């Protein structure tokens, strides 16, 4: 494929040295890596390609924009100039950028894993048992994690939904598992079926969980590892993967591991905003994995502004998204944003609304001091938009996996397993954290008799709005997907409308398609 082909001929030094300062390591030599310390640079290149790039082109940001455009919970400005909406999806620049950048991550991981494989799994002589476990095995686990993470984004963007017990033999995406040694190999990668891609993703995260430590230990690990994936991050990606595969018992087991066995690393004791306001190595108590933009040497993720009220320290004038009108009405934040924009108590008492959202009024129809749409005629409605990102400027860290997601996933899995009490307990753990007792009085829990699948799904919308979760979640629980503001009715979770077309340059240069 073209994206993979571009990697061939570039020195390994370039592949593995991106944003080296970010991870406090120097530019690496070409392999073979001579020591475990030098091998540390292998996953660093993968993380750097996942987290960084150009400020207007980062793989995980592109994913959030693209996936937000598919959910029924988000409305987009229908403006062809920006090409963010599904209306222009075949020509969406973000999908093309993502394929190239994510296969760069795959290439980095494959190159290093080939290095290990070619040396029979033990490329460095004289390793102590502690160094083998704490460093070499951990690095290999990170390589599996970053490759699995890249393939997860690729498959859930360009691939078909997994159908439990179904055929799953549709050819989806290129699936190279070794580093292409020449242009011929690069132009003819193995094309993976839905089943094969998900099998590799699952295998990669299983290996990562097995090899990664539970927690960073400064006496054992390289200092740069402090902000990278540990065993709980791998388990969280297993939750997402099992959910997509419909293996719900296994997904629940991983939720149990994260929630009940995290040794006090993660909890929901802080206000929601604390996950989104860190501009140092620190993280919020619920944050399992994050993109560490506290380092000002990294270009900031500027195009998160598509999803957010603020841009650095100023109000963003080109926010393209808002909570879908149908969603605002259904969850009860307003009776009807088109006719009655009065905020209901449900919104006022919710700290997620207070801390991580904002009301945007139409141009010329706002009161002094109110946030308003600066582009007259673009959105002539009152909307609710997210205000999660850039909470301390452009270089604020961005959570990629949060504990609230895991609680809500376990809630729906318990509910479907006829454990209404467990489902309500998990849901209430998230709701209680967001409840403002000063406004709402004593917390009112959802009871076992009240809880429904719709209540769980709506709670997830409020919690994870504009984090790219909605479409993956609905495809994972295998229900018809509402059209939201796009019209009446639903689409099946298997709809081709949720499978983004491979970019034209991939079609032109991949001889295997």
């Amino acid at each position: 494929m073209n994206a993979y082909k571009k990697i061939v001929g570039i020195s390994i030094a370039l592949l593995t040295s991106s944003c080296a300062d970010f991870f406090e390591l120097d530019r690496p030599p070409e392999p073979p890596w001579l020591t475990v310390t030098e091998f540390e640079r292998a996953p660093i290149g993968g993380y750097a390609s996942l987290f960084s790039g150009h400020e207007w082109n980062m793989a995980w940001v592109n994913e959030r924009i693209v996936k937000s455009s598919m959910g029924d919970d988000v409305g987009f400005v229908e403006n062809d100039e920006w090409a963010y909406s599904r209306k222009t999806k075949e020509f969406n620049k973000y999908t093309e950028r993502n394929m190239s950048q994510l296969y760069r991550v795959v290439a980095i991981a494959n190159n290093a894993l080939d290095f290990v494989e070619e040396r029979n799994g033990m490329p460095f002589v004289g390793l102590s048992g502690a160094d083998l476990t704490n460093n070499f095995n951990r690095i290999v686990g990170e390589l599996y994690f970053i490759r699995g993470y890249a393939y997860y984004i690729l498959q859930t963007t360009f691939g078909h939904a997994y159908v439990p017990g179904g055929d799953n033999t549709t050819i989806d995406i290129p699936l190279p598992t070794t580093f292409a040694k020449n242009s011929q190999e690069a132009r003819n990668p193995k094309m993976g079926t839905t089943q094969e891609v998900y099998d590799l993703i699952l295998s990669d995260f299983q290996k990562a969980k097995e090899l990664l430590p539970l927690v960073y230990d400064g006496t054992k690990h390289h200092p740069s590892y402090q902000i990278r994936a540990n065993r709980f991050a791998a388990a969280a990606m297993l939750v997402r993967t099992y959910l997509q595969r419909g293996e719900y018992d296994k997904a629940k087991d991983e939720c149990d591991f994260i929630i009940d066995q995290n040794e006090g690393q993660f909890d929901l004791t802080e206000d929601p905003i604390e996950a989104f306001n860190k501009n140092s190595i620190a993280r919020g108590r619920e944050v399992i994995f994050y993109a560490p933009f506290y380092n000002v040497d990294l270009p900031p993720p500027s195009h998160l502004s598509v999803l957010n009220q603020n841009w650095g320290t100023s109000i963003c004038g080109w926010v393209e998204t808002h909570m879908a009108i149908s969603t605002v009405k259904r969850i009860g934040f307003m009776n009807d944003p088109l006719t009655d924009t009065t905020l209901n108590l449900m919104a006022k008492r919710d700290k997620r609304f207070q801390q991580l959202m904002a009301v945007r009024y139409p141009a010329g129809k706002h009161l002094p001091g109110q946030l308003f749409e600066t582009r007259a005629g673009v959105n002539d409605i009152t909307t609710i938009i997210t205000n999660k990102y850039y909470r301390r400027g452009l270089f604020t860290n961005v959570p990629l996996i949060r504990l609230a997601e895991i609680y809500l996933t376990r809630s729906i899995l318990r509910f479907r397993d006829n454990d209404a009490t467990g489902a309500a307990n998990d849901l209430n753990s998230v709701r209680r954290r967001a409840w403002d007792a000063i406004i709402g009085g004593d917390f009112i829990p959802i009871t076992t008799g009240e809880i429904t699948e719709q209540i769980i799904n709506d709670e997830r919308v409020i919690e994870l709005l504009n984090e790219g979760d909605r479409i993956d979640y609905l495809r994972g629980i295998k229900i018809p997907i509402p059209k939201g503001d796009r019209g009446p009715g639903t689409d099946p979770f298997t709809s081709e409308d949720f499978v983004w077309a491979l970019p034209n340059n991939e079609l032109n240069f991949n001889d295997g398609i």
Side-chain angles (χ1 to χ4, degrees):
M1 59 170 295
N2 187 40
Y4 205 66
K5 177 175 179 288
K6 292 175 183 176
I7 304 301
V8 179
I10 300 175
S11 71
I12 303 303
L14 286 176
L15 283 175
T16 59
S17 65
S18 301
C19 297
D21 289 343
F22 167 53
F23 291 99
E24 303 176 11
L25 287 176
D26 297 326
R27 180 178 292 275
E30 293 188 1
W33 298 273
L34 302 179
T35 66
V36 172
T37 299
E38 290 178 354
F39 197 47
E40 195 85 47
R41 298 176 173 107
I44 285 173
Y47 285 113
S49 289
L50 278 175
F51 292 153
S52 62
H54 187 271
E55 60 181 329
W56 297 100
N57 177 31
M58 296 179 189
W60 61 272
V61 183
N62 296 341
E63 178 199 21
R64 288 196 173 187
I65 293 173
V66 167
K67 287 184 176 176
S68 292
S69 77
M70 291 192 281
D72 64 304
D73 58 328
V74 174
F76 269 68
V77 171
E78 294 293 342
N79 187 331
D80 291 345
E81 176 186 356
W82 299 99
Y84 295 146
S85 69
R86 287 201 300 173
K87 189 166 95 173
T88 55
K89 75 174 191 177
E90 284 79 15
F91 309 100
N92 194 301
K93 57 188 175 184
Y94 295 109
T95 58
E96 181 172 336
R97 289 173 176 176
N98 249 21
M99 177 158 278
S100 178
Q101 196 163 358
L102 289 167
Y103 276 107
R104 176 184 173 90
V105 176
V106 169
I108 291 168
N110 283 346
N111 179 62
L113 291 171
D114 286 352
F115 171 75
V116 174
E117 178 68 22
E118 289 164 2
R119 289 155 182 81
N120 299 315
M122 187 58 65
F124 306 112
V125 297
L127 286 181
S128 68
D131 210 22
L132 178 66
T133 300
N134 298 327
N135 293 302
F136 177 72
N137 287 346
R138 185 254 310 159
I139 290 169
V140 174
E142 289 186 86
L143 293 169
Y144 283 119
F145 179 87
I146 60 176
R147 187 174 72 175
Y149 199 96
Y151 271 129
Y152 182 89
I153 296 176
L154 286 163
Q155 178 62 25
T156 53
T157 303
F158 299 101
H160 290 78
Y162 191 94
V163 179
D167 185 51
N168 297 311
T169 58
T170 303
I171 300 295
D172 277 340
I173 60 172
L175 192 64
T177 55
T178 60
F179 186 79
K181 303 301 189 295
N182 52 59
S183 60
Q184 183 64 24
E185 288 185 16
R187 291 183 68 100
N188 291 274
K190 172 181 171 56
M191 296 297 295
T193 64
T194 307
Q195 183 72 53
E196 290 171 331
V197 178
Y198 271 112
D199 284 350
L200 181 68
I201 294 169
L202 180 60
S203 174
D204 278 355
F205 288 134
Q206 288 172 331
K207 291 174 182 175
K209 184 187 175 190
E210 178 183 351
L211 294 170
L212 290 173
L214 289 168
V215 62
Y216 165 76
D217 185 335
T219 68
K220 300 175 181 178
H221 305 133
H222 191 280
S224 66
Y225 180 62
Q226 186 172 355
I227 57 176
R228 288 159 28 195
N230 62 18
R231 192 175 303 172
F232 295 104
M237 291 308 299
L238 280 171
V239 171
R240 293 178 178 179
T241 304
Y242 282 130
L243 195 70
Q244 294 304 314
R245 291 169 61 100
E247 297 179 74
Y248 301 132
D249 288 343
K250 293 179 180 178
K252 180 184 170 297
D253 287 344
E254 297 298 335
C255 291
D256 291 343
F257 169 68
I258 296 168
I259 294 170
D260 302 329
Q261 301 180 49
N262 74 61
E263 300 183 355
Q265 286 193 74
F266 316 109
D267 58 47
L268 297 178
T269 58
E270 296 178 328
D271 276 359
I273 195 173
E274 295 300 322
F276 294 90
N277 65 0
K278 300 296 184 288
N279 59 355
S280 70
I281 201 169
R283 61 169 178 82
R285 292 285 307 164
E286 70 158 320
V287 176
I288 298 171
F289 187 55
Y290 68 90
F293 285 96
Y294 66 86
N295 188 314
V296 296
D297 292 331
L298 284 176
S302 295
H303 59 312
L304 269 177
S305 55
V306 173
L307 308 174
N308 202 66
Q309 170 197 335
N310 286 334
W311 186 52
T313 57
S314 61
I315 299 298
C316 179
W318 57 86
V319 180
E320 300 298 309
T321 62
H322 54 83
M323 184 183 286
I325 301 303
S326 56
T327 299
V328 175
K329 294 169 64 174
R330 188 180 72 249
I331 65 177
F333 277 6
M334 296 178 182
N335 292 334
D336 188 345
L338 300 179
T339 60
D340 180 3
T341 60
T342 304
L343 287 173
N344 293 330
L345 178 62
M346 184 174 181
K348 293 178 181 179
R349 74 187 178 198
D350 196 311
K351 292 181 181 179
R352 292 164 299 190
F353 176 82
Q354 297 173 16
Q355 299 174 2
L356 301 173
M357 299 181 194
V359 179
R360 184 176 61 184
Y361 295 90
K365 298 181 181 180
H366 62 285
L367 298 176
Q370 290 181 334
L371 179 68
F372 65 95
E373 171 58 62
T374 59
R375 298 162 296 178
V378 172
N379 268 332
D380 194 30
I381 54 175
T382 299
T383 56
I384 293 175
I385 60 179
T386 47
N387 190 24
K388 293 181 173 182
Y389 308 116
Y390 315 122
R391 295 314 302 261
R392 289 188 176 174
L394 288 174
F395 294 97
T396 308
N397 299 336
V398 180
L400 301 180
I401 306 173
R402 298 193 287 118
L403 187 62
E405 173 194 338
I406 306 302
Y407 268 101
L408 291 170
T409 297
R410 192 170 72 172
S411 181
I412 190 65
L413 297 178
R414 283 176 158 178
F415 182 80
R416 287 188 164 190
D417 201 31
N418 297 315
D419 179 9
T421 299
N425 287 341
D426 284 339
L427 179 76
N428 286 323
S429 293
V430 177
R431 285 171 57 90
R432 183 180 294 106
R433 188 268 297 266
W435 187 280
D436 188 337
I438 295 176
I439 296 175
D442 291 341
F443 175 66
I444 303 173
I446 296 294
T447 68
T448 298
E450 293 171 332
I451 193 166
T452 64
E453 185 162 314
Q454 186 66 57
I455 287 175
I456 299 170
N457 294 350
D458 285 347
E459 191 70 27
R460 193 174 181 117
V461 165
I462 299 170
E463 183 67 39
L464 296 170
L465 183 68
N466 267 352
E467 294 183 49
D469 171 77
R470 179 70 169 172
I471 191 65
D472 283 357
Y473 172 68
L474 295 179
R475 290 172 98 189
I477 62 173
K478 315 302 179 189
I479 65 172
I481 298 175
K483 295 181 182 293
D485 289 352
R486 290 184 290 273
T490 62
D491 292 308
F493 75 89
T494 54
S495 171
E496 292 286 336
D497 201 31
F498 305 121
V499 181
W500 289 68
L502 295 178
N504 287 333
N505 61 348
E506 303 302 331
L507 300 176
N508 292 336
F509 286 92
N510 188 333
D511 295 339
I513 298 179

